[in-house]
Amino acid sequence: MSKLDPVSCLGTCTRSPVPNQVRAGTGRQGPPAHVLQAQATDRQATDRKRDLYVVLILLMLWGLFFWRYLTPVEADRVAFPRGDLSEHFYILRSFAFDEFRAGRFPLWGRGVFDVYPFQADPESALFYPPVALELLTGLALGWDELPLQAVQLESMAHVLLASLLCYLFLREEVKHRPAALLGSVAFSYGGYLTSYPLQQITFLEAAVWLPLALWSAKLLTSTGKRRYAVLTGLAFTLAFLTGNPQNLTQLFYAALAYYVYQCWRARTPWPVALRRFAIVLALTVGLSAVQLLPSLEWWRNSTRASISFEKAAVAFPPKDLIQLLVTGLVSYWQPLYTGTFSLVLAFLACVTGRKRDLPFWAGLTIVSLIFSFGKNLFGFEVAYLTLPGYSLFRDQERHAYLMTFGLSVLAAYGLDTLLSPLKRWERKLVHHTGRYLRYGLPVVFILIGVAALLSRLELDVSDSQKLADHLAVLFLCLSFSTALLYLRSYRPRSRYALGILALMLVIFNLFTLNRGRYYAEPHDPYQVNSLFQQIEADPGWFRVQEDEFPIIRNVAGRRRLREVWGVAIRLRHYVEFLEEAPEDVRWKLLGVKYVITWRGSLVTWRGRKIAGAEMLGKEGEGESLKHLYRLPWQPRRTFVVRDVVSAKDRDELYESLRSPGFDPFRTAVLQEPLPLEPAPGAEDEVLITADTPAYIGLRARLGAPGLLVLSEVTYPGWRVYVNSRPARLHEADGVLRAVLLPKGKSKVVFRFLPLTFYAGAALSSLTVLLIAGYAIVRRI
């Protein structure tokens, strides 16, 4: 067999013929069966080798796109800019790494996460294999802390994975390898995956598994083999374990629609189709139960249990439709963009209509595009009112990944058509398309001059402030697209070169516009301003409050500090407490010692001046000016009260907290009767003996029976033990853990034992054992 080179591997995909002893219509005896079998084996080996070359090409393209992040040359090296990756997801990974390094499983959070169950949050991604591998690698290598570069590499590696899985899917959809490769490049390096999902890593990681889910669902329909049911369930599970239920919901409905379409085309009996998909759902629930059950409990108790239509339907404005062709005009990002020639190819695919699955992909592209505009276009309301799950999520522009994938498939269809013999009317269509593109070139050229002039006059109204540059790229891509269409029209035998040139054009287009948008100087994720340096110098136990939303700013520098606001999605009763309790009462109950605020003097929102508050410094100017205050009281992790007020509901509870002269260190408000006798002059002593996120041990000596209050948030799964015996856990002041103690010495333990986690882990383990057992039996 002759050696293959990376260029020749982009030829036509061969299909092994069915062996026949007699050639049809000739009456002549064909080669023997063993010869035909050997030829088929050789062709399969050749196909595998060519696909391996394509994998190497995709790996090379990935290296070229991200080389400045990976280079050892310090002068050339760049990093992701500050944002969600470094100031949120990196902190999640770092906390998990620190807990594993200390020999603990991170069930409950600490620092900015100590107000919610860490493992139950899907964004913790503790059971997502790439994240688990990343953490285990760091532990094996003896890292003291998780480097930011590891999380950046995690994000970039998923772009490579997206390209490989997309090629795997398109390899079965089109005849020519250059078409499959072009569709893979358009999806992986198009505007969506290389825009904000690189920062909001869960969006990227969930979207990656869409091609695998579609590929396995199609094979499940065509073959009926249970291995593909397992693979489909695994794809759904991986998409969920990444930590983005919204993208999983969209992926699930897209894959379900594709499965139904394939069953309809194959005329699969509906009882059979339903039985197969029921197996997929059962496997998905079983495999993901370790994350699914805790997440459902956390979601039910969070602020996202339900949101209004106005919040759920936030999405692209209609003007963003221009992103399909012109970038940089209405948005710095271009998540709808897959390239100029990709759009031309998608148009040709739709008009020629050669592919069997074309109606599905055209429909998916249009529907997901309409949904990405949310309330701004009619259509999303239908999904919001009828599809379970759509009322739980906001920011519908995330449908863009379905739209860009559908458009990439259509582009692959279009190039596959151009690389095949064309009918006469199809050749005319290609010729006329090239002619109309040529007519647009002078218009774009004039727009470049106008945009350049406006830029000189500092009148550039585009969001990118580089409109002339973006129009210049559009002009080049339109010119090359016109040339390729004319090449196909006038040189029909140049189809081989056409595939290579089309691929090069899409790479040039997308790499030019997308590769540099994330370039930033490498930075220290632990760098803090002077205000936080003063706070970190305090060795005691306390919490910090910063006005407004702190997660997006400087979280990396504060990851070892306890912050009042917590994570983006918070517990519903805790948010209610933050909104309803007076600030001074809230600060005492939560142990706040430092407040960072724009307020010139420390006056609460209800007009109470905090006497004795000391301003330690300020930083910034104008709207960015911030003051650092130290509150006049000493934070208390625990305290004992004997004056208990019973409230019939939460409204009455907060009325009690707002009453004049209320002292939270003397009085606790509960929603249940708890008789306690006053004990003036009783001496109490409480000492913390163990303090980990999921386990807090105390020794107490009370002069009289009292209610021990711990400045930590309640949540289902927390248990309390007094002298090694289970005791009743009370909720004090609407949010804090408390337990009734007798007079004298007591040993108290607060322990987090989430039943949903242990039940989910057992169910997932059982599912894995069943799959492994079934595979072994089938193998035997």
Side-chain angles (χ1 to χ4, degrees), residues 240-261:
F240 173 71
L241 294 180
T242 60
N244 195 284
Q246 181 177 12
N247 274 24
L248 169 67
T249 302
Q250 297 165 0
L251 181 151
F252 174 81
Y253 282 120
L256 176 60
Y258 188 62
Y259 175 74
V260 171
Y261 177 82

Side-chain angles (χ1 to χ4, degrees), residues 169-248:
F169 174 75
L170 291 174
R171 177 71 172 78
E172 299 295 327
E173 291 290 308
V174 296
K175 182 180 179 182
H176 299 87
R177 282 189 179 83
L181 190 52
L182 182 141
S184 173
V185 170
F187 176 64
S188 305
Y189 301 99
Y192 182 81
L193 290 191
T194 59
S195 60
Y196 47 78
L198 283 175
Q199 284 274 12
Q200 299 172 348
I201 192 172
T202 58
F203 304 154
L204 170 64
E205 292 177 343
V208 159
W209 300 107
L210 174 65
L212 180 63
L214 297 171
W215 181 74
S216 55
K218 184 174 184 178
L219 290 178
L220 176 61
T221 306
S222 60
T223 67
K225 294 181 178 180
R226 294 184 179 178
R227 71 179 72 168
Y228 296 117
V230 175
L231 191 58
T232 307
L234 181 62
F236 288 159
T237 300
L238 290 171
F240 173 71
L241 294 180
T242 60
N244 195 284
Q246 181 177 12
N247 274 24
L248 169 67

